[in-house]
Amino acid sequence: MTSRLRLFWRDALALLFAVGDRRTPGRARLAALLALAYALSPVDLLPDAIPLMGWGDDLLVVPTILALAARGLPAPVLADARARSLGLQRRLPWMLPVLGVSVLVGMGLLGWALLRGLSG
C-alpha cells in the first residue's frame, strides 16, 4: 500500500513538473490543468458535503485524468520530470519541519497583529 502511494506521489509530482516543461504537448498540459481545476473546483459530480462519496468522485476522476495526461507525455519529458520528483522527495523530509514551523510562526504573527489591531 505504501509503495503504491509513493509511486502515485512521485508520478503526481512528475506530472506537475512536466506541465511546466515546454516540450510537453498541449493536450497533456490541458488534461493536467483540467484535473487540477476539477480537484479544486467546488462543483463536482458528487458534492463534497456527502460523507465519503463526495470525495470518492475526486479520488476516481482526478487520477484518471492525470493518467491520461501522463500517457501523452514524451518519454524524455517524463524521465526528466520523474528525476526532479525523486530529487524533491529526497529533500522533502527536511523541508516539511521547516515549512511547519514557518506556518506556525506566520499564524502566530497574524494572530498577534489581529489582536493588536482589535485592541488599539
Side-chain angles (χ1 to χ4, degrees):
M1 180 67 174
T2 58
S3 63
R4 285 186 184 174
L5 185 60
R6 202 172 292 132
L7 287 175
F8 175 75
W9 177 244
R10 181 203 65 188
D11 288 343
L13 280 175
L15 190 58
L16 180 65
F17 287 130
V19 166
D21 193 320
R22 62 179 182 194
R23 299 174 293 170
T24 299
R27 70 176 185 273
R29 185 173 290 146
L30 179 64
L33 294 175
L34 283 173
L36 178 63
Y38 185 83
L40 297 176
S41 172
V43 180
D44 287 342
L45 294 174
L46 295 171
D48 289 341
I50 299 172
L52 298 179
M53 290 179 58
W55 289 353
D57 68 328
D58 292 342
L59 292 174
L60 292 174
V61 172
V62 172
T64 301
I65 296 173
L66 290 176
L68 291 173
R71 290 177 111 198
L73 292 175
V77 172
L78 187 58
D80 291 346
R82 280 185 174 161
R84 288 180 64 193
S85 174
L86 286 173
L88 179 64
Q89 287 180 37
R90 285 189 193 111
R91 291 189 310 262
L92 197 58
W94 297 102
M95 292 168 61
L96 285 177
V98 172
L99 181 63
V101 168
S102 300
V103 167
L104 288 175
V105 168
M107 288 174 56
L109 290 174
L110 181 62
W112 175 76
L114 286 173
L115 286 174
R116 186 175 171 150
L118 291 174
S119 65

